[in-house]
Amino acid sequence: MTTIKVVAEAPVRQPDPEMATLFHALSEPTRLEILTHLGSGEHRVRDLVEHLGLAQSTVSKHLACLRDCGLVAVRPQGRSSWFFLAAPELLSDLLDATDAFVRGTGIGPSLRTHHDEVDATIEGGA
């Protein structure tokens, strides 16, 4: 007689739109760099512009996305606005979990490969 071991699968949580928005915000390398830099403390837009070497409008656009997702908050002081991480501990936990996921799978996800496959599918008419 053969015994079959049945393992119950963990229920898969259905993502809500807020999760998709958060992951979209985190999917852009420049936004991740901004978050990393803000991890060292509050910064003004001009500080980030200088650090990143990007146009002020580009940095402002990325900060708006991060602020809209609740990752970054702003504190006005005089004529300046100081940006900071809204929940640094939670963000650190999320990034640590992401790192563990990538390392635990044994492969590094490649967005470039994914985009190439999607582009080839579209171009091939499939």
Side-chain angles (χ1 to χ4, degrees), residues 76-113:
Q77 181 178 1
R79 292 177 19 167
S80 296
S81 296
W82 291 83
F83 290 85
F84 59 95
L85 297 177
E89 303 83 17
L90 293 174
L91 180 60
S92 179
D93 290 347
L94 176 62
L95 296 178
D96 288 346
T98 302
D99 187 52
F101 179 84
V102 170
R103 293 185 192 291
T105 61
I107 58 168
S110 172
L111 290 177
R112 182 69 188 143
T113 301

Side-chain angles (χ1 to χ4, degrees), residues 24-38:
H24 170 76
L26 295 171
S27 72
E28 217 296 319
T30 301
R31 289 194 285 267
L32 284 174
E33 189 171 355
I34 289 171
L35 291 170
T36 300
H37 196 63
L38 289 175

Side-chain angles (χ1 to χ4, degrees), residues 8-116:
E9 291 185 24
V12 177
R13 179 179 171 192
Q14 292 298 315
D16 52 25
E18 290 81 11
M19 288 177 75
T21 301
L22 175 65
F23 281 112
H24 170 76
L26 295 171
S27 72
E28 217 296 319
T30 301
R31 289 194 285 267
L32 284 174
E33 189 171 355
I34 289 171
L35 291 170
T36 300
H37 196 63
L38 289 175
S40 67
E42 294 181 318
H43 293 283
R44 298 170 296 177
V45 172
R46 77 181 222 191
D47 300 328
L48 293 168
V49 165
E50 186 176 305
H51 173 74
L52 298 168
L54 297 171
Q56 182 271 328
S57 60
T58 301
V59 172
S60 293
K61 191 180 299 185
H62 285 305
L63 284 169
C65 175
L66 294 169
R67 190 179 60 241
D68 291 346
C69 294
L71 293 167
V72 170
V74 63
R75 178 182 61 82
Q77 181 178 1
R79 292 177 19 167
S80 296
S81 296
W82 291 83
F83 290 85
F84 59 95
L85 297 177
E89 303 83 17
L90 293 174
L91 180 60
S92 179
D93 290 347
L94 176 62
L95 296 178
D96 288 346
T98 302
D99 187 52
F101 179 84
V102 170
R103 293 185 192 291
T105 61
I107 58 168
S110 172
L111 290 177
R112 182 69 188 143
T113 301
H114 172 73
H115 286 302
D116 287 348

